[in-house]
Amino acid sequence: MTTLAAAGAQDMKLAVMLVDIGVVLVAGAALGRLARKLRQPVVVGEIVAGILLGPSVLGLLPGNLTERLFPADVRPLLSAVSQVGLILFMFVVGWEFEKRLIRPHARLAAGVSLSSIAMAFGLGVALAPFLYDEHATVAGHHISFVAFATFIGTAMSVTAFPVLARILTENKLLDTRAGSLSLASAAIDDLLAWCLLAYVSALVTADGDYSDLAGIGLRSAAYVAGMLLVVRPLVARLVWRWAATERWSALLAVVCAGALTSAWLTTWIGIHAIFGAFLFGFVMPREPAMVLAEHLRKPMDHVSVVLLPVFFIVTGLGVDLGALTSGDLVALVAIIVVACAGKLAGAILPARLAGFSWREAKDLGLLMNTRGLTELIILNAAVSLGVLDGRMFTMLVIMALVTTAMAGPLLSRRRPVPAGTAGTSDAPGTASAAQVSGASRASEGPAAYGPDAAVDVLRPRG
């Protein structure tokens, strides 16, 4: 009887998890649709849906509804589902990293990206001493100031390439100088953000032991070299061979297994799993483009439609506005101000030096200030590493929501100078709007465009 009762309890947990996923999908779709009507990216609606279903709103109603809908013993199952969706999403992000977006604007994009990261990172580290004492202990474990300050700087430095793509599309900025430059700069930002997160992961894993940190660094370097020099050509050969014989089911299974295995390997090394998934996607071949998009990307989009929204709910369950103190509210305002100041100043200054008008430079700064999904991924990684407590996590999620939501309403309604017109020789404009549009639609993912949009991602561009 005891065994039967245990089996029945386990079945009930799974049943509750399935119902929860159904609730998540409906809530995410409803709030995502509302966000679109309000000229906001879908991700804003999905983040809000997670917060509404969490302790901040639903949990305040009579009957303890959040706990009843998402019981404590079911949340680890939801978290596991969300992590699978996240790993596959990060693989696709790496796969779609478009070097061709960066190449036409390389110097100026690198300048804007490095300037905005340096300014935001520096201001974040400068703010960290004022936040540290209240958040130095997480679940009974003391966090070193170096790890905490480095992560705060990293959180301030992020620009969300996926969300940015959606904003550019809806505001018809894809073929403008500010739009194309922001997309190229955000691509570099994303790459550097994952590297910073890998460093923070290694720092926390080493726990102050510099010999351990050096070992993690050496293993990471060997891993990256192996991926670029060994895995990349092997995967390219496999893809071409199996694509020629149309072994799509087997290829899809191998690719997913590769992403998951790479994620496991980076966890074993001492850096976060999402870095492994991203790098495996980065070394994936882009050709034959149309058939890969049709037979590999589409099925992965379908999986993401179901799994990725669970990530937003898991994030929302960790946001508790009611737990913030009056001092935390002051800290929240400071975090938002520092986050905006670093990104705006860091992007506007190099844009002005490159000959952009104030309106174009302001638009570029607002676009680089969007954080969205990329920020949430990094914040959840920090929680899993034990760097953030619940209150700091809540404040940083709100910062991500505010900085993402403010871009649309504040962008110039009158279109700036189209790409390719007056400007310096280094001004963006040589990349075609179609090229930028294809890559940006892909990065936003199925939640915004639907799986059919993915066909444009890897299509050869003339």
Side-chain angles (χ1 to χ4, degrees):
M1 287 293 293
T2 304
T3 304
L4 289 175
Q10 187 64 28
D11 287 344
M12 197 62 204
K13 284 184 188 179
L14 293 174
V16 172
M17 181 196 71
L18 295 175
V19 170
D20 286 348
I21 292 176
V23 172
V24 166
L25 294 176
V26 172
L31 271 294
R33 184 178 180 84
L34 178 61
R36 282 187 178 182
K37 290 184 177 180
L38 296 176
R39 299 178 59 84
Q40 292 291 337
V42 171
V43 68
V44 169
E46 292 175 326
I47 296 172
V48 171
I51 294 174
L52 292 179
L53 291 173
S56 298
V57 179
L58 188 64
L60 299 178
L61 300 178
N64 202 11
L65 296 178
T66 295
E67 289 296 329
R68 292 170 68 89
L69 184 59
F70 304 102
D73 57 351
V74 173
R75 293 185 188 187
L77 300 178
L78 289 172
S79 181
V81 170
S82 74
Q83 288 304 306
V84 173
L86 184 59
I87 292 300
L88 295 179
F89 175 79
M90 286 305 303
F91 162 76
V92 173
V93 170
W95 192 9
E96 290 165 356
F97 184 82
E98 273 287 353
K99 290 177 284 186
R100 282 174 291 186
L101 283 177
I102 299 172
R103 196 173 295 126
H105 338 297
R107 282 190 295 167
L108 185 52
V112 170
S113 178
L114 293 174
S115 172
S116 64
I117 286 178
M119 186 80 72
F121 187 89
L123 290 177
V125 170
L127 179 64
F130 302 97
L131 305 173
Y132 179 66
D133 289 342
E134 287 288 322
H135 307 279
T137 302
V138 179
H141 180 71
H142 182 76
I143 303 300
S144 73
F145 174 74
V146 173
F148 180 82
T150 303
F151 177 77
I152 294 298
T154 301
M156 300 295 177
S157 305
V158 170
T159 295
F161 184 91
V163 178
L164 179 62
R166 178 67 180 180
I167 293 173
L168 290 172
T169 301
E170 291 188 340
N171 289 275
K172 297 182 174 65
L173 294 173
L174 282 172
D175 59 346
T176 63
R177 296 198 301 176
S180 58
L181 177 59
S182 67
L183 205 60
S185 301
I188 299 174
D189 258 29
D190 263 14
L191 186 60
L192 293 176
W194 305 131
C195 294
L196 284 171
L197 179 61
Y199 172 71
V200 174
S201 300
L203 203 61
V204 173
T205 303
D207 198 20
D209 188 328
Y210 288 100
S211 61
D212 280 355
L213 185 60
I216 292 171
L218 289 174
R219 291 194 297 271
S220 300
Y223 159 76
V224 172
M227 292 293 286
L228 294 175
L229 301 177
V230 179
V231 175
R232 187 176 204 161
L234 288 177
V235 171
R237 191 177 306 164
L238 178 70
V239 167
W240 275 101
R241 184 174 297 174
W242 286 14
T245 56
E246 298 189 350
R247 299 173 63 183
W248 299 116
S249 297
L251 184 56
L252 179 62
V254 169
V255 165
C256 291
L260 296 171
T261 303
S262 183
W264 166 80
L265 186 57
T266 51
T267 303
W268 175 81
I269 288 171
I271 54 180
H272 201 273
I274 60 177
F275 187 79
F278 176 85
L279 191 56
F280 188 77
F282 184 80
V283 302
M284 274 287 291
R286 273 66 173 173
E287 301 290 341
M290 292 183 66
V291 291
L292 288 181
E294 180 69 23
H295 295 284
L296 294 187
R297 171 62 198 268
K298 268 191 175 182
M300 298 189 80
D301 273 345
H302 294 150
V303 172
S304 295
V305 165
V306 177
L307 298 185
L308 198 57
V310 181
F311 172 76
F312 294 104
I313 298 302
V314 171
T315 299
L317 291 175
V319 173
D320 189 357
L321 296 175
L324 298 183
T325 65
S326 57
D328 289 335
L329 296 179
V330 174
L332 174 60
V333 173
I335 287 170
I336 293 174
V337 169
V338 166
C340 293
K343 277 297 185 181
L344 290 171
I348 288 173
L349 290 177
R352 286 290 295 157
L353 291 174
F356 281 50
S357 69
W358 276 111
R359 188 182 70 250
E360 288 178 297
K362 180 263 294 182
D363 285 345
L364 177 64
L366 287 170
L367 292 167
M368 294 298 293
N369 194 42
T370 59
R371 287 174 174 85
L373 179 56
T374 305
E375 180 81 2
L376 295 188
I377 293 171
I378 288 178
L379 294 181
N380 278 275
V383 170
S384 70
L385 291 167
V387 178
L388 296 182
D389 62 14
R391 287 157 49 221
M392 180 56 66
F393 177 75
T394 295
M395 288 187 280
L396 291 174
V397 169
I398 297 305
M399 179 271 287
L401 183 62
V402 170
T403 55
T404 304
M406 66 185 281
L410 295 180
L411 284 171
S412 300
R413 287 290 156 256
R414 187 161 57 91
R415 289 181 57 140
V417 179
T421 60
T424 65
S425 59
D426 214 7
T430 52
S432 70
Q435 176 181 332
V436 176
S437 177
S440 63
R441 279 203 307 272
S443 296
E444 176 68 13
Y449 290 98
D452 289 339
V455 177
D456 288 335
V457 178
L458 302 172
R459 181 174 294 152
R461 297 168 177 89

